[in-house]
Amino acid sequence: MSSPPQPSNGHAPSLLRATQRPRTVLVLGGGGMRGMAHIGVLRALRTLGIQVDAIVGTSIGSLVGAMSAGGIPIEKIESLVAAVQKEDYFRFNFAKMLLKGLRTTSVYHGDTFKGSLGRILPRVTFAQMQIPFFCNATRLETGGTVFWGTPGMDDIPLVDAVYSSCALPGIFEPYERGGYSYMDGGMVDSLPLRFAKTLGAELVIAVDLSVKGTFKAPDYKNRILSTLYRTFEIVEEVLVEQMLHMHADHTVALIQPKVAEASRFDFKKLADVIRAGEEETIKVLTSHAATRDLVQPVIVEGLACPVTPRDFVSVRIDPDRCIGCGQCEAVCETDAFWARGGRATVRKLSNYECSRDHACARNCPTDAISLGNL
């Protein structure tokens, strides 16, 4: 992707340049190692000839986004990530846990994680980014969100900004700055569509990696870390669901790579996850009404990407499984269900208004709902 001019110090919308094409913001969501799909997204954008004017990252999206916005080539990003081992990020806080027990600040050493980030992130400031870059973190004391890179919040070292955006509560120590403690931005906003639109975006390309109810979730084990990770995923999915309800419209090209079966910290499926991100991005952007006129006509060797209309979601209910609880009608924001009487019925078999949040399938207690054309 080519690099737009450096951002000004004015109001947020002025950070994007004026162009003849739509002003485009890339939003990279959270999801642990599933976030390596973002590398495939970057590959696809380059292949399709789509340029972006700003990158917004959350959690793992902040890491990949910072590397790209900082000028690291895609192939270099992939090689740096491929060389990383789980031990580079995770080292148990044994001493503190023995001494402090439940009063310890984290399960793993944050310094180990931050040291690994420092070795792969570009050595630039926010002002030196080749593409304007922003990432969010949650302030524990107030529960609010900050976006590093915005005016007045851009003097933080890049490694600290990315660490604070990635630091899962209880897993790594909070990042401390100015008397406040900051943790993973995905705890409040895992897909910052609202913030992207404040940047004056006319087109938002958003990558959602939350585990959906229609996908097979990673195997859950009844252990403390597994329970914590699964809890984060559920919170993430609910937050994304609400964000899509409020802000997914015709200006948002939503990319949801099929990577749910990769666990949050699975370092072994890197190539598959990257490929899934690339393939899904090409499928969506070559068929989405807001982007299909922007892409270059290309054939990507080795990718099975037949272009099919993606402007509706097919909705079906298995009458043998439906118990008439009404959850589908309660959670659907587009009135696609009617749950009066003994069984629910589908009012919109081809739902052109669906925000692809998967809320109906996730909340169905008997798995009676199936969604298609996703």
Side-chain angles (χ1 to χ4, degrees), residues 27 189 191-197 201-208 212 239-256 284 288 290 310-311 313 333-334 351-358 374:
V27 177
D189 190 353
L191 195 69
L193 299 178
R194 177 173 51 189
F195 176 78
K197 292 185 176 183
E202 297 167 297
L203 170 64
V204 178
I205 300 174
V207 186
D208 169 23
K212 300 302 181 186
L239 291 173
V240 169
E241 175 186 312
Q242 297 304 314
M243 189 59 63
L244 293 176
H245 283 174
M246 293 186 292
H247 300 290
D249 55 24
H250 68 283
T251 68
V252 176
L254 182 64
I255 299 168
Q256 296 174 315
V284 170
H288 193 282
R310 304 297 291 272
D311 51 353
V313 173
E333 292 291 314
T334 63
N351 189 355
Y352 286 86
E353 299 170 316
C354 181
S355 58
R356 290 172 165 77
D357 53 61
H358 298 237
L374 291 166

Side-chain angles (χ1 to χ4, degrees), residues 34 92 97 102 105-108 168-172 183-184 187 219-236 264-265:
R34 292 192 294 272
F92 272 112
M97 293 181 76
L102 294 178
T105 54
S106 64
V107 175
Y108 295 106
L168 285 168
I171 305 302
F172 299 111
M183 298 295 298
D184 193 317
M187 296 297 99
D219 292 337
Y220 166 70
K221 298 179 177 60
N222 191 13
R223 303 169 186 169
I224 183 169
L225 284 179
S226 180
T227 300
L228 280 174
Y229 295 154
R230 184 63 187 134
T231 301
F232 296 148
E233 289 171 347
I234 293 170
V235 171
E236 199 170 59
R264 193 173 193 92
F265 295 112

Side-chain angles (χ1 to χ4, degrees), residues 100-349:
K100 296 185 176 182
L102 294 178
R103 292 181 294 114
T104 191
T105 54
S106 64
V107 175
Y108 295 106
H109 281 285
D111 288 344
T112 301
F113 182 29
K114 187 185 291 188
S116 296
L117 292 177
R119 288 190 289 275
I120 63 176
L121 283 169
R123 299 182 183 277
V124 296
T125 65
F126 275 93
Q128 294 169 333
M129 287 287 189
Q130 293 188 15
I131 299 174
F133 171 70
F134 311 89
C135 63
N136 64 352
T138 304
R139 182 182 284 179
L140 292 182
E141 287 80 5
T142 64
T145 299
V146 300
F147 278 90
W148 307 119
T150 55
M153 303 297 288
D154 55 359
D155 59 337
I156 181 175
L158 183 62
V159 66
D160 290 340
V162 172
Y163 172 81
S164 69
S165 187
C166 293
L168 285 168
I171 305 302
F172 299 111
E173 296 96 339
Y175 168 68
E176 297 183 358
R177 171 185 165 98
Y180 292 104
S181 305
Y182 297 92
M183 298 295 298
D184 193 317
M187 296 297 99
V188 172
D189 190 353
S190 189
L191 195 69
L193 299 178
R194 177 173 51 189
F195 176 78
K197 292 185 176 183
T198 69
L199 297 175
E202 297 167 297
L203 170 64
V204 178
I205 300 174
V207 186
D208 169 23
L209 300 176
S210 57
V211 177
K212 300 302 181 186
T214 53
F215 300 156
K216 181 183 177 183
D219 292 337
Y220 166 70
K221 298 179 177 60
N222 191 13
R223 303 169 186 169
I224 183 169
L225 284 179
S226 180
T227 300
L228 280 174
Y229 295 154
R230 184 63 187 134
T231 301
F232 296 148
E233 289 171 347
I234 293 170
V235 171
E236 199 170 59
E237 185 175 357
V238 173
L239 291 173
V240 169
E241 175 186 312
Q242 297 304 314
M243 189 59 63
L244 293 176
H245 283 174
M246 293 186 292
H247 300 290
D249 55 24
H250 68 283
T251 68
V252 176
L254 182 64
I255 299 168
Q256 296 174 315
K258 309 300 190 294
V259 294
E261 292 188 22
S263 65
R264 193 173 193 92
F265 295 112
D266 188 346
F267 286 72
K268 299 177 181 178
K269 297 182 179 179
L270 179 64
D272 292 339
V273 171
I274 292 175
R275 185 182 180 85
E278 182 178 14
E279 185 164 306
E280 189 66 16
T281 301
I282 291 175
K283 282 183 179 180
V284 170
L285 297 187
T286 53
S287 60
H288 193 282
T291 57
R292 59 184 170 223
D293 293 335
L294 300 177
V295 303
Q296 299 175 354
V298 295
I299 297 176
V300 182
E301 185 176 354
L303 288 185
C305 295
V307 177
T308 56
R310 304 297 291 272
D311 51 353
F312 69 90
V313 173
S314 62
V315 185
R316 300 291 185 271
I317 292 179
D318 183 342
D320 294 330
R321 290 190 174 192
C322 179
I323 58 175
C325 67
Q327 274 292 91
C328 53
E329 182 180 349
V331 300
C332 179
E333 292 291 314
T334 63
D335 297 323
F337 300 92
W338 181 259
R340 300 291 188 272
R343 295 289 185 273
T345 57
V346 179
R347 297 181 61 247
K348 300 177 181 179
L349 293 173

Side-chain angles (χ1 to χ4, degrees), residues 16 23-27 52-56 196 199-201 203-206:
L16 299 183
R23 289 176 293 179
T24 303
V25 176
L26 176 63
V27 177
V52 303
D53 299 291
I55 299 176
V56 181
L199 297 175
L203 170 64
V204 178
I205 300 174

